[in-house]
């Protein structure tokens, strides 16, 4: 549903600060209209007009090409070496260095933990020894008031725990050297109908967004957002609802459910430093990329692994691996990596390290090894992502990232090498809202154009956050994820139903006529 209060108010509210938007690069159609967006931006953005005269706003390019530069500038100017070189000058200029260090420091702090804050069922000490039976399972979300479809996976759900090392920041800056545990679910699917007509097991590893927790509760409906009548902006609601700990998590779980319903095994954990997983630092997405390889190895060997089976038995080591894979085969399981927001950064780093090169960008003098070369990896789903790297982000993020790497030993945002390396990935799906703030939409399109088949770029009329997606739109996105994953593990030549846009306007106008909860479609010129 959409707020009538906001629709009536919108015609009189035009935020002046939002009128000055960056254009797009030469070669893309010029935007021809403007429209106000709601939650996540509360801005008037430039857009394209569709055949019905509706203006479709989108996130234009934050930084267009400097005069005389070609598209390679978005790679070469934002490599690890390039941002480090600029940081040496920036850090000695207070106007540049102080702002970058302040921004970087914000990505070193502990994240708050929300799971169990409203309902003590599911509250654990993520840093301690945990009874896996105290972690919420899919059935928890099948009860009222949630009634989520993920509950259908209960009989196939293993509560799972992996053992992994601390990241570089924790070792060097916090003096912590013990192991930590990543916790979540392994949902054993019924097998995927592959394009050659056979059925086989295949795995999708899903990674949640920043400060998001996959087993946090989320009441149905738009309770997580509110309209400020003073200025017409949509913001996070100020509320205390014991049965809603993190709005938007039901949407993320619906993606997991859709993949499981398509026959996939699905592995989801809270990333290190978040939710029910251990660790004091949740921002090193390159390290979180390594975690996916560690989890795959543990599923094969059982090392550092614990599971709670669907029947309630707690098993460890080889017995735990054998419970999930009674017939073996974990070492040959085709795998698709997926992630939302910060989880998509971790996914991008894992793909880059596996197919392009394994560089340690957390060290003072980065050293590089050959690509990992794990042939189980078949493709990546990037939702709410930054595939275009640092060059398509807001100005200043490059120096924040350089400060993080050099001063805090932390790699957070994908850089120019990751953007360039997408051409070597075997398959990729890019899914995002057209006015997602993370990067200009042109960057996502450029990444898609680099990629090889099977590939897809799918956009919808919405922002970065999942909390304002309608159920219909969430369902479509889940179906697109499943269609891509099936094509990737099948080795298909293309993704069934995928649209290949001719240009940026074609991409924007390919979004279905479903709008998120806080933005009202407006005719161009109004």
């Amino acid at each position: 549903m959409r707020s009538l209060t906001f629709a009536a108010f919108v015609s009189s509210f035009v935020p002046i600060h939002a009128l000055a938007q960056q254009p797009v690069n030469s070669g893309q159609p010029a935007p021809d209209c403007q429209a106000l967006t709601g939650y996540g931006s509360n801005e008037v953005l430039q857009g394209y007009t569709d055949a019905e005269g509706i203006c479709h706003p989108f996130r234009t390019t934050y930084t267009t090409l400097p005069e005389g530069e070609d598209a390679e500038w978005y790679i070469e100017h934002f490599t690890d070496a390039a941002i480090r070189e600029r940081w040496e000058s920036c850090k000695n200029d207070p106007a540049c260095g102080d702002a970058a260090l302040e921004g970087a420091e914000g990505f070193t702090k502990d994240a708050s933990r929300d799971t169990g804050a409203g309902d003590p069922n599911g509250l654990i000490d993520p840093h301690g020894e945990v009874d896996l039976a105290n972690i919420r399972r899919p059935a928890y979300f099948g009860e009222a008031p949630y009634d989520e479809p993920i509950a259908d996976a209960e009989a196939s759900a293993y509560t799972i725990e992996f053992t992994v090392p601390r990241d570089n920041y924790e070792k060097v800056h916090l003096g912590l050297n013990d192991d930590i545990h990543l916790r979540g679910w392994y949902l054993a699917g019924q097998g995927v109908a592959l394009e050659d007509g056979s059925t086989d097991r295949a795995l999708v590893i899903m990674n949640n967004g920043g400060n998001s927790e996959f087993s946090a509760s989320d009441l149905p409906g738009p309770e997580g957002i509110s309209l400020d009548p003073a200025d017409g902006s949509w913001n996070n609601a100020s509320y205390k609802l014991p049965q809603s700990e993190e709005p938007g998590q039901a949407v993320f779980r619906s993606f997991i459910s859709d993949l499981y319903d398509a026959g996939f095994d699905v592995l989801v954990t809270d990333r290190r430093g978040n939710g029910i997983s251990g660790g004091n630092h949740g921002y090193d997405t390159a390290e979180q990329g390594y975690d996916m390889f560690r989890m795959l190895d543990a599923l094969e060997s059982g090392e550092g692994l614990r599971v709670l089976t669907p029947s309630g038995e707690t098993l460890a080591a080889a017995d735990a691996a054998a419970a999930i894979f009674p017939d073996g085969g974990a070492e040959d399981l085709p795998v698709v990596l997926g992630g939302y927001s910060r989880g998509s950064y971790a996914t991008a780093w894992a793909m880059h390290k596996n197919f392009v090169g394994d560089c340690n960008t957390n060290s003072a003098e980065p050293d590089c090894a050959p690509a990992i070369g794990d042939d189980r990896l078949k493709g990546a789903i990037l939702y709410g992502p930054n595939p275009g790297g640092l060059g398509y982000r807001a100005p200043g993020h490059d120096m924040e990232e350089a400060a993080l790497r050099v001063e805090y030993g932390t790699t957070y945002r994908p850089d120019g090498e990751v953007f360039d390396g997408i051409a070597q990935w075997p398959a990729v799906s890019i899914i995002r809202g057209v006015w997602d703030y993370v990067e200009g939409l042109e960057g996502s399109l450029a990444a898609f154009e680099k990629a090889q088949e099977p590939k897809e770029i799918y956009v919808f009329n919405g922002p970065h956050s999942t909390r304002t997606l309608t159920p219909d739109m969430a369902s479509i996105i889940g179906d697109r994820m499943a269609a891509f994953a099936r094509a990737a593990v099948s080795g298909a030549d293309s993704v069934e139903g995928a649209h290949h846009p001719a240009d940026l306007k074609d991409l924007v106008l390919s979004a279905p006529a479903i709008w998120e909860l806080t933005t009202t479609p407006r005719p161009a010129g109004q």
Side-chain angles (χ1 to χ4, degrees):
M1 69 182 194
R2 185 170 288 114
S3 170
L4 296 177
T5 304
F6 180 67
F9 189 78
V10 68
S11 62
S12 63
F13 172 65
V14 179
I16 300 301
H17 72 278
L19 293 177
Q21 292 293 320
Q22 286 287 341
V24 297
N25 277 304
S26 175
Q28 296 293 351
D32 57 27
C33 61
Q34 291 184 330
L36 178 66
T37 57
Y39 180 81
S41 60
N42 291 303
E43 292 180 276
V44 170
L45 299 179
Q46 294 191 41
Y48 295 119
T49 306
D50 68 15
E52 284 71 44
I54 299 297
C55 183
H56 291 250
F58 69 99
R59 180 62 59 185
T60 50
T61 308
Y62 285 114
T63 304
T64 52
L65 288 170
E67 186 175 354
E69 296 285 354
D70 61 20
E72 290 297 299
W73 181 82
Y74 287 113
I75 299 169
E76 297 169 356
H77 196 66
F78 297 96
T79 63
D80 179 74
I83 65 172
R84 286 172 183 264
E85 182 178 354
R86 290 202 299 280
W87 174 242
E88 289 304 309
S89 299
C90 174
K91 69 180 181 181
N92 295 316
D93 176 3
C96 178
D98 290 355
L101 282 170
E102 182 180 0
E105 187 177 2
F107 295 106
T108 65
K109 302 183 184 305
D110 288 5
S112 62
R113 312 273 179 155
D114 296 328
T115 304
D119 179 355
N121 180 351
L123 180 64
I124 65 168
D125 174 8
H127 306 294
E129 296 298 319
V130 172
D131 182 347
L132 297 181
N134 291 332
I135 292 174
R136 292 172 183 165
R137 291 176 54 82
Y140 174 88
F141 300 100
E143 303 296 326
Y146 309 118
D147 299 318
E148 295 182 27
I150 193 66
D152 293 341
E154 175 64 25
S156 303
Y158 296 79
T159 305
I160 197 163
E161 179 184 84
F162 299 93
T163 304
V164 298
R166 295 275 184 173
D167 70 16
N168 182 67
Y169 177 80
E170 291 172 315
K171 292 175 181 177
V172 174
H173 292 268
L174 301 181
L176 300 171
N177 290 284
D178 56 324
D179 289 334
I180 61 173
H181 300 293
L182 309 179
R183 303 182 181 94
W185 299 335
Y186 191 103
L187 310 181
Q190 298 301 305
V192 181
L194 303 176
E195 295 202 359
D196 64 3
S198 64
T199 300
D200 205 354
R201 289 185 78 170
L203 171 64
V204 179
I205 301 178
M206 289 293 283
N207 299 270
N208 213 334
N211 300 321
S212 295
E213 304 172 26
F214 83 93
S215 64
S217 62
D218 177 13
L219 280 172
E223 288 85 358
I225 53 174
S226 64
L227 174 68
D228 184 345
D231 62 7
S233 62
W234 285 96
N235 305 299
N236 291 338
S238 177
Y239 66 100
K240 291 184 179 180
L241 296 171
Q243 292 174 309
S244 193
E245 295 158 345
E246 282 197 0
Q249 292 310 291
V251 170
F252 184 75
R253 284 189 291 271
S254 78
F255 300 153
I256 298 170
S257 178
D258 290 334
L259 290 163
Y260 172 77
D261 288 346
F264 287 95
D265 290 16
V266 184
L267 170 59
V268 57
T269 65
D270 280 336
R271 293 174 300 102
R272 57 171 65 229
N274 289 270
I276 60 173
S277 288
N280 296 79
H281 183 233
Y283 295 97
D284 195 327
T285 62
E287 190 69 37
Q288 290 158 8
Y290 285 128
D291 285 340
M292 285 177 260
F293 295 102
R294 293 167 179 141
M295 290 189 287
L296 287 171
D297 290 345
L299 289 172
E300 181 180 349
S301 69
E303 184 175 354
L305 182 68
R306 283 202 307 149
V307 301
L308 177 73
T309 69
S311 63
E313 184 179 10
T314 299
L315 301 172
D319 291 338
I324 301 175
F325 300 100
D327 300 320
E331 68 278 8
D332 298 318
L333 196 67
V335 178
V336 171
L337 307 181
Y340 160 54
S341 188
R342 197 173 302 165
S344 76
Y345 306 174
T347 297
W349 280 115
M351 295 293 286
H352 185 78
K353 291 175 182 299
N354 194 64
F355 294 104
V356 185
D358 184 13
C359 293
N360 175 16
T361 51
N362 286 341
S363 61
E365 297 182 1
D367 58 294
C368 292
I372 294 170
D374 190 329
D375 60 10
R376 290 173 290 187
L377 271 59
K378 305 301 181 184
I381 299 170
L382 308 179
Y383 175 83
N386 178 209
L390 288 166
Y392 287 100
R393 295 190 70 104
H397 285 186
D398 56 339
M399 289 299 92
E400 279 188 6
E401 181 64 24
L404 269 173
R405 297 184 186 189
V406 175
E407 311 300 334
Y408 295 106
T410 294
T411 300
Y412 178 46
R413 303 174 177 96
D415 53 29
E417 282 106 336
V418 176
F419 170 44
D420 191 40
I422 288 174
Q424 299 180 54
W425 300 6
V428 65
S429 167
I430 298 169
I431 304 174
R432 56 165 287 170
V434 290
W435 60 83
D436 188 327
Y437 78 93
V438 170
E439 73 174 12
L441 184 59
E442 195 174 347
S444 297
L445 178 58
F448 170 78
E449 290 172 340
K450 280 183 175 293
Q452 57 184 312
E453 293 283 8
K455 63 180 180 177
E456 179 172 22
I457 183 167
Y458 187 85
V459 298
F460 56 91
N461 291 307
H464 180 74
S465 175
T466 58
R467 68 176 61 196
T468 64
L469 281 186
T470 67
D472 286 347
M473 193 68 256
S475 178
I476 293 172
I477 292 171
D479 288 345
R480 295 318 307 163
M481 288 182 177
F484 167 79
R486 185 181 301 109
V489 301
S490 295
D493 294 332
S494 61
V495 182
E496 184 178 359
H499 175 63
H500 286 203
D503 54 31
L504 195 59
K505 180 177 181 178
D506 186 23
L507 176 60
V508 171
L509 298 185
S510 71
I514 302 172
W515 293 63
E516 57 88 29
L517 295 172
T518 68
T519 298
T520 301
R522 302 176 66 197
Q526 292 188 17

